[in-house]
Amino acid sequence: MTTAPSIPPLGGTITVGVPIDKAFRVFTTSFNTWWPTQYHIGQADLAEAILEPREGGRWYERGVDGSECDWGRVLAWEPPDRLVVTWQINGQWQYDPDPDHASEIEVRFTADGPEQTRVDLQHRHLDRLVDGQALRDGISGGGGWGAILELFAKAVASGE
């Protein structure tokens, strides 16, 4: 049996100066306030990035023209500790509706005292994606998930 070569996961960790409940809330329900508008896959410019707050919910973008483009689904919604979503965007930066081709992003929130939270993000199973290495290279070249977590931390600090 031949298996595809394993593509190492991507990820990042950041600590924010808010309680765990607030960190989870800003990451999820305020997702649109900190996700960079230049990071979209639809034809239209990004108007809104949406993460539906429930297991089975959609994770998607809405363009300025009203069009919608899926990014994945919510696999685990466990406030305030954990979120897991599928990433169904292939190496050509296009949505792939086949769940067998989905990688996963797991975000864990860990209280580090009453007013501080560590946020750990892991983007795993990149080998499931069509052209997953190209996607990994693209994310890494753009600053990676660490750069995205920095934007999240700025939103937390500004009280989003």
Side-chain angles (χ1 to χ4, degrees), residues 7 10 41 87-94 103 105 123-126 129-142 145:
I7 301 170
L10 290 165
I41 61 170
W87 174 280
Q88 292 178 238
I89 301 170
N90 64 29
Q92 290 78 47
W93 298 95
Q94 296 170 337
S103 59
I105 298 170
H123 190 170
R124 61 185 179 229
H125 305 308
L126 296 166
L129 298 168
V130 173
D131 209 1
Q133 185 63 52
L135 182 110
R136 185 184 197 284
D137 294 346
I139 291 173
S140 297
W145 286 108

Side-chain angles (χ1 to χ4, degrees), residues 28-135:
T28 57
T29 58
S30 296
F31 182 69
N32 185 59
T33 65
W34 59 268
W35 185 261
T37 57
Q38 68 270 29
Y39 290 3
H40 65 93
I41 61 170
Q43 295 294 317
D45 287 343
L46 181 69
E48 187 176 18
I50 302 159
L51 178 64
E52 293 179 342
R54 66 181 186 283
E55 193 171 305
R58 294 170 63 206
W59 183 39
Y60 65 103
E61 67 185 65
R62 183 172 295 124
V64 293
D65 63 356
S67 61
E68 293 183 354
C69 191
D70 283 339
W71 295 350
R73 294 285 181 268
V74 178
L75 296 179
W77 181 267
E78 301 168 7
D81 303 306
R82 182 171 172 259
L83 168 72
V84 181
V85 294
T86 62
W87 174 280
Q88 292 178 238
I89 301 170
N90 64 29
Q92 290 78 47
W93 298 95
Q94 296 170 337
Y95 176 72
D96 185 338
D98 186 342
D100 290 339
H101 295 167
S103 59
E104 294 176 1
I105 298 170
E106 179 174 17
V107 187
R108 290 193 171 269
F109 301 82
T110 306
D112 188 13
E115 295 296 323
Q116 193 161 285
T117 304
R118 190 180 78 241
V119 181
D120 297 295
L121 183 150
Q122 183 187 52
H123 190 170
R124 61 185 179 229
H125 305 308
L126 296 166
D127 50 304
R128 294 179 185 168
L129 298 168
V130 173
D131 209 1
Q133 185 63 52
L135 182 110

